[in-house]
Amino acid sequence: MNEALVRSLTPSVLAVLVRRGADFAAAEDAVQDALLQAAVVWPDNPPRDAKGWLVTVAWHRFLDATRADTARRRREEVVEEEPAPGPASEVDDTLQLYFLCAHPSLTPASAVALTLRAVGGLTTRQIAAAYLVPEATMAQRISRAKRTVSGVRFDRPGDVATVLRVLYLVFNEGYSGDVDLSAEAIRLTRQLAAAIDHPEVSGLLALMLLHHARREARTASDGSLVPLAEQDRARWDTRAIAEGVAILQAALARDRLGEFQAQAAIAALHADAQRAEETDWVQIVEWYDELTRLTDNPVVRLNRAVAVGEADGPRAGLVALAALDDSLPRHTAVAAYLHERDGDLALAARLYAEAARGAPNLAERDHLTRKAARLNARRG
């Protein structure tokens, strides 16, 4: 692809979308999506009219994003701020759409990506971040998924495991504060739990409830992040915690352990501690060992390094961290925390500042920047 040509065309393509009624920010996102698609298509099939091609694709992306956002907002309007406990009382077609997007003709990874984009309303950038892959890679995956299912009959729903993965990622995106989707994910998971007797469905619902219970304590009045150890536990939702623990215990009693049950067990141990100092880190490390066995996920190993640092001391945590790829998201922030606990304030401050520059959102960047500033002030 001729990068100079693309750079020269971008402003005029953007201007066309704005003239057609797109707001500037949405137009920028749409043009970026079109450029990513061009990077995939043009090398093998260059268009005769490059600008016309970009305008057409960008406008379609803008319309798709607008429809997805409208659908998401419509769903959010019928969801209360806090999900009600107990079985779901209202059923709509959304959960069925999740199953249909998880079509058997797609790989699980492609089905998840397509569902998040088409039904969940997430952007390609958000989905790529959740999967730890470049945005261009995720754009290609979604495009392939769309091509795969174009023309097929959606009469064979996908499997439960894929739908659970989608719901988990939608919840995480909402819980992060970037998009308010966590209550909707809980609502849909309640529907799934009412329809399917499966311990991992129960495990996911328990995990969501236990994390959602801490939502109000996660940010200060000025919007800044409050780390788990510093949260006011009186603000935690004890009703949601009790429900989550009860659901988890019933699932674990069936002796069919899965990754969501293991994650929920870790969340339950955090919820069980009246004070941060009373957290049973030894048990948490044991559950992370189970979770690593089940998933072999690098992010799980990163979180395990933090738990090892709490259970066995920061140097043990640094040893566990050294075995991981330092390009992992939040790897630098974890290193900074462990070095701070080990007493190396100068290195910790430098690492916090470095982590802040690569933070995925403004709240986390500000939090890490304040950590670096605080340590620099302590050093004199």
Side-chain angles (χ1 to χ4, degrees):
M1 185 171 69
N2 189 323
E3 294 184 6
L5 173 62
V6 169
R7 284 196 298 271
S8 68
L9 290 175
T10 298
S12 59
V13 173
L14 185 59
V16 171
L17 266 63
V18 171
R19 285 199 301 272
R20 289 184 178 183
D23 66 82
F24 190 81
E28 279 190 317
D29 286 343
V31 172
Q32 288 302 313
D33 281 348
L35 294 177
L36 289 170
Q37 184 67 10
V40 175
V41 173
W42 288 12
D44 296 324
N45 188 22
R48 283 192 289 269
D49 179 4
K51 179 180 176 181
W53 190 98
L54 287 171
V55 168
T56 300
V57 173
W59 182 247
H60 287 162
R61 293 301 172 89
F62 166 73
L63 293 177
D64 288 345
T66 301
R67 293 188 192 103
D69 186 61
T70 300
R72 176 179 61 80
R73 291 179 185 278
R74 189 180 301 118
R75 290 194 301 273
E76 289 177 354
E77 286 172 359
V78 300
V79 180
E80 294 182 352
E81 182 67 21
E82 293 297 329
S89 57
E90 296 182 6
V91 178
D92 58 27
D93 294 332
T94 307
L95 190 59
Q96 182 64 17
L97 288 175
Y98 275 65
F99 272 97
L100 291 177
C101 282
H103 197 271
S105 62
L106 296 172
T107 65
S110 295
V112 170
L114 178 62
T115 312
L116 290 172
R117 188 74 181 90
V119 185
L122 273 64
T123 66
T124 303
R125 184 178 296 108
Q126 290 167 329
I127 302 169
Y131 269 92
L132 309 180
V133 299
E135 186 177 352
T137 301
M138 184 53 65
Q140 292 176 349
R141 186 177 298 175
I142 294 172
S143 295
R144 284 196 300 269
K146 288 179 179 179
R147 288 196 298 270
T148 299
V149 299
S150 62
V152 304
R153 292 183 60 188
F154 281 85
D155 55 358
R156 292 185 298 151
D159 69 320
V160 174
T162 300
V163 174
L164 287 179
R165 177 63 50 192
V166 175
L167 289 169
Y168 175 65
L169 291 175
V170 170
F171 175 82
N172 279 346
E173 195 60 51
Y175 188 71
S176 73
D178 199 28
V179 181
D180 188 12
L181 293 172
S182 54
E184 170 74 347
I186 291 174
R187 183 181 74 86
L188 293 173
T189 306
R190 284 194 190 282
Q191 288 186 10
L192 189 58
I196 299 176
D197 183 20
H198 192 297
E200 272 294 82
V201 177
S202 298
L204 178 59
L205 179 57
L207 175 64
M208 289 178 173
L209 290 169
L210 289 164
H211 278 310
H212 202 73
R214 301 200 298 261
R215 187 180 182 92
E216 292 301 316
R218 291 182 70 245
T219 53
S221 57
D222 61 358
S224 59
L225 290 180
V226 180
L228 177 61
E230 300 172 19
Q231 288 176 14
D232 178 1
R233 300 185 178 215
R235 298 181 65 193
W236 289 1
D237 185 343
T238 54
R239 183 184 65 176
I241 290 173
E243 184 187 4
V245 168
I247 292 171
L248 172 64
Q249 288 175 338
L252 291 175
R254 301 177 65 175
D255 198 25
R256 290 169 55 194
L257 184 64
E259 62 173 297
F260 294 123
Q261 294 169 73
Q263 289 190 58
I266 293 168
L269 285 167
H270 283 298
D272 187 55
Q274 296 296 310
R275 298 183 303 129
E277 296 79 8
E278 299 172 4
T279 304
D280 190 343
W281 286 106
V282 173
Q283 267 205 77
I284 288 176
V285 171
E286 291 173 355
W287 276 111
Y288 270 122
D289 288 340
E290 288 285 352
L291 193 53
T292 300
R293 180 181 60 80
L294 290 166
T295 68
D296 196 27
N297 186 302
V299 176
V300 169
R301 292 181 180 274
L302 184 68
N303 291 332
R304 179 185 178 278
V306 176
V308 169
E310 298 290 352
D312 300 327
R315 294 194 178 181
L318 287 167
V319 170
L321 185 66
L324 303 177
D325 185 347
D326 61 10
S327 67
L328 274 173
R330 297 189 172 88
H331 183 285
T332 306
V334 170
Y337 173 73
L338 292 171
H339 280 294
E340 178 186 2
R341 288 201 59 225
D342 196 38
D344 193 341
L345 302 189
L347 178 55
R350 180 175 64 79
L351 290 172
Y352 276 130
E354 181 182 336
R357 290 191 290 272
N361 56 62
L362 182 60
E364 189 166 338
R365 187 190 71 188
D366 290 346
H367 171 70
L368 294 167
T369 300
R370 282 194 294 271
K371 296 276 282 186
R374 177 176 55 80
L375 291 186
N376 284 327
R378 282 176 57 187
R379 291 169 52 223

